[in-house]
Amino acid sequence: MIDSSLRQTRQAVLIVDDTPENLTLLYGLLKDRYRVLVANSGERALQLLDGEVLPDLVLLDVMMPGIGGFAVCRQLKSTARTARIPVIFLTAMSEHDDEQAGFNAGAVDYIVKPISPPIVLARVNTHMQLKAAADFLEDQAAFLRREVDIRTREVQVIQDVTIMALASLAETRDHETGNHIRRTQNYVRALARQLQSLPRFGAVLDDDTIDMLYKSAPLHDIGKVGIPDAILLKPGKLTPEEFEIMKTHTTLGRDAIATAEKLLDAPSSFLRLAREIANYHQEKWDGSGYPEGLAGDAIPVSARLMAVADVYDALISRRVYKPPFPHEQAVEIIRAGRGQHFDPDMVDAFDAIAEEFRAIARRYADE
């Protein structure tokens, strides 16, 4: 006698037939090898298939009162939860067109009545083995997908932490910038989201790009690690010579990120955005910025976003060379730079969410 716990591990077959004699015959034929479920109508079969435990295979009569076998099969195949269950039709309909209709409905096999027990056992066994193999592969694939997801999340966390560590390293050179990198990355994300609805930016600022902009924004001033303290921390106005050295923080950051890009086997959209921001965030809409004097749309969108975020935060923050400006004054200065320092559309977007910028500044205020 088979132990009940072992019986529960066996594959299950659902027999659907409106004739009691056929149900009895098939049940007796299969019960010692499989767990057997029975249904005497298409409606009852669909109820069982909607239950918690699904069969591994369905033996399905075609001609039944109410819902026929073809309709049951089509409904079973139309639902993701049951679509992978193989169906074998059992029927007295033996014409070629009948068989074709069965396969078109989604069946994997077609057995003509009156049945031959050896043929039924052989066909059921074959498709049960195929189902077991398919289930094994699906389980393995699902396991691998979960492992890949876990490893991907780990890599993303490591990447994010590394970025923040590098950005914080640059910020420690200037002891008064505090939470500058936190504020600016949130400003950039808020502004990008506001611009998404404009046709001019919609195709560029998709959700994935905005996420990468948020993560890469902290590296905008990474080049400051190469600026001497006497210039970076000077409390007064820089001389023309000192300002030329200060301007090189853009190209120093660009070159450092470009070097990292070369170490990768494939292009990195994230590092491309980080390189753009580092290199071009000091460019101005009218072409008067640095390091290349780009103007208008020649300046990458990523850098134009950072320009607004960086200037706003510099205005509201205390620096060695100035006190913090009130939010209202900073907003007026940004507005005044429309079409000169900043992309006009970005200034309009900033103006619409200026209170969100204020809230971000308060949330990540320097102690």
Side-chain angles (χ1 to χ4, degrees):
M1 185 174 181
I2 298 175
D3 184 87
S4 59
S5 62
L6 292 177
R7 181 180 292 274
Q8 293 302 313
T9 67
R10 294 187 300 171
Q11 291 175 293
V13 57
L14 169 62
I15 305 169
V16 187
D17 199 305
D18 64 314
T19 305
E21 293 79 5
N22 291 337
L23 289 177
T24 301
L25 173 63
L26 291 167
Y27 179 85
L29 185 62
L30 299 171
K31 65 181 178 64
D32 292 332
R33 299 191 183 195
Y34 309 102
R35 288 187 292 122
V36 180
L37 306 171
V38 296
N40 60 2
S41 67
E43 291 82 355
R44 178 55 181 160
L46 291 175
Q47 290 177 356
L48 291 174
L49 290 167
D50 195 39
E52 188 173 327
V53 179
L54 293 175
D56 296 285
L57 182 143
V58 178
L59 286 174
L60 183 57
D61 187 18
V62 173
M63 301 296 293
M64 294 183 292
I67 302 177
F70 289 163
V72 171
C73 186
R74 282 192 291 268
Q75 188 162 334
L76 181 147
K77 295 300 176 182
S78 68
T79 304
R81 181 169 176 266
T82 56
R84 294 177 58 250
I85 300 174
V87 174
I88 300 177
F89 279 123
L90 298 172
T91 180
M93 300 165 61
S94 59
E95 296 297 324
H96 173 76
D97 290 345
D98 298 327
E99 292 188 15
Q100 187 61 54
F103 290 123
N104 290 342
V108 297
D109 211 338
Y110 197 95
I111 300 176
V112 177
K113 295 178 181 179
I115 65 170
S116 166
I119 290 177
V120 171
L121 286 174
R123 300 277 184 86
V124 169
N125 181 62
T126 295
H127 291 293
M128 283 294 200
Q129 289 182 359
L130 291 172
K131 177 65 164 52
D135 288 346
F136 174 78
L137 291 175
E138 177 62 25
D139 289 343
Q140 289 295 100
F143 171 77
L144 290 174
R145 286 194 295 269
R146 288 193 298 271
E147 287 298 301
V148 169
D149 288 343
I150 291 171
R151 298 296 176 263
T152 300
R153 286 195 295 271
E154 288 177 351
V155 169
Q156 289 174 341
V157 169
I158 292 171
Q159 173 183 281
D160 295 347
V161 170
T162 302
I163 292 164
M164 294 307 295
L166 289 171
S168 298
L169 176 64
E171 296 299 335
T172 57
R173 298 292 314 287
D174 184 350
H175 300 299
E176 293 183 351
T177 54
N179 284 325
H180 171 69
I181 57 177
R182 284 291 189 191
R183 292 192 296 269
T184 51
Q185 71 175 169
N186 280 278
Y187 298 150
V188 165
R189 181 167 62 184
L191 191 57
R193 285 175 174 171
Q194 181 68 17
L195 290 164
Q196 267 187 311
S197 60
L198 297 183
R200 181 182 170 207
F201 296 102
V204 179
L205 296 175
D206 56 81
D207 290 341
D208 289 340
T209 299
I210 291 176
D211 184 57
M212 287 189 289
L213 284 167
Y214 174 80
K215 292 179 178 181
S216 58
L219 295 178
H220 68 282
D221 275 340
I222 190 68
K224 283 184 176 181
V225 296
I227 304 301
D229 284 350
I231 296 174
L232 185 65
L233 303 180
K234 184 176 180 178
K237 185 177 180 180
L238 299 178
T239 66
E241 293 79 13
E242 290 170 335
F243 185 57
E244 288 301 314
I245 295 173
M246 175 63 84
K247 286 160 64 174
T248 64
H249 82 276
T250 57
T251 52
L252 288 171
R254 174 202 66 197
D255 293 345
I257 296 170
T259 299
E261 281 184 288
K262 291 177 182 177
L263 299 176
L264 298 176
D265 294 331
S268 168
S269 298
F270 161 74
L271 287 179
R272 174 183 60 80
L273 291 173
R275 172 169 45 80
E276 286 178 356
I277 291 173
N279 193 33
Y280 297 119
H281 70 282
Q282 295 291 352
E283 299 285 3
K284 296 183 179 180
W285 184 253
D286 63 5
S288 64
Y290 63 88
E292 298 179 19
L294 300 183
D297 287 330
I299 306 168
V301 171
S302 58
R304 280 180 265 159
L305 290 165
M306 178 52 69
V308 176
D310 198 31
V311 170
Y312 172 81
D313 200 64
L315 290 170
I316 65 164
S317 302
R318 183 180 302 278
R319 293 289 184 265
V320 292
Y321 51 85
K322 74 163 193 67
F325 291 174
H327 167 78
E328 292 76 13
Q329 186 177 356
V331 170
E332 287 303 320
I333 293 173
I334 298 290
R335 289 172 180 165
R338 186 182 188 275
Q340 299 173 26
H341 192 152
F342 310 111
D343 180 334
D345 285 340
M346 291 195 180
V347 173
D348 294 343
F350 163 80
D351 207 21
I353 59 168
E355 286 304 311
E356 188 172 349
F357 269 57
R358 188 207 296 263
I360 291 169
R362 287 173 173 169
R363 188 180 315 136
Y364 298 102
D366 297 331
E367 296 181 0

